[in-house]
Amino acid sequence: QVRLVESGGGLVQAGGSLRLSCVASGSIISTKLMGWYRQAPGNQRELVASITRSGMISYVERVKGRFTISRDNAKNTVYLQMNSLKPEDTAVYYCKAGAGSYGSDWLSASWGQGTQVTVSS
């Protein structure tokens, strides 16, 4: 129901920055909650950061102080500003949107295609 188009991934040196963008189209109801997941080879996909339409934000501990999630509701876009990148941040980053959540279950969830972030040492 929601199409998510990501941009901003790429290759960056350790200590550098990237800004990921995810533009949503479709039902606004299904974008109440948006966030970024990442999955490194051999690892589970993990929730990195999430943000509600009203601005409630959460981060995984490993990125606190370095990553900032934000959204522009008028542009139907969520961003992930990633600073002080480390090689351990290397992963495919996925945008996700939902109408809300029930516990960890995102309602009416949609996924982006994923964008590769590679941090070299």
Side-chain angles (χ1 to χ4, degrees):
Q1 194 173 18
V2 176
R3 177 175 170 82
L4 303 173
V5 180
E6 300 162 316
S7 62
L11 175 64
V12 67
Q13 295 285 334
S17 298
L18 286 173
R19 184 177 176 86
L20 306 183
S21 299
C22 174
V23 180
S25 60
S27 176
I28 190 172
I29 297 175
S30 296
T31 61
K32 180 180 178 180
L33 178 66
M34 299 187 73
W36 293 93
Y37 288 70
R38 67 184 182 186
Q39 187 168 23
N43 293 335
Q44 291 183 250
R45 189 173 299 184
E46 67 172 350
L47 177 62
V48 177
S50 65
I51 183 169
T52 68
R53 186 170 291 117
S54 63
M56 291 183 58
I57 294 172
S58 65
Y59 298 100
V60 68
E61 188 69 27
R62 288 179 292 280
V63 308
K64 286 183 177 178
R66 299 188 298 119
F67 291 10
T68 302
I69 190 170
S70 62
R71 65 187 292 169
D72 186 334
N73 293 332
K75 296 181 178 180
N76 298 314
T77 301
V78 64
Y79 306 94
L80 186 67
Q81 178 67 46
M82 304 184 294
N83 298 326
S84 301
L85 282 162
K86 305 174 181 179
E88 65 197 64
D89 295 316
T90 295
V92 178
Y93 284 71
Y94 298 90
C95 181
K96 189 179 183 181
S101 66
Y102 186 85
S104 61
D105 183 25
W106 290 42
L107 306 177
S108 301
S110 299
W111 288 92
Q113 77 283 1
T115 184
Q116 178 70 48
V117 172
T118 302
V119 184
S120 64
S121 60

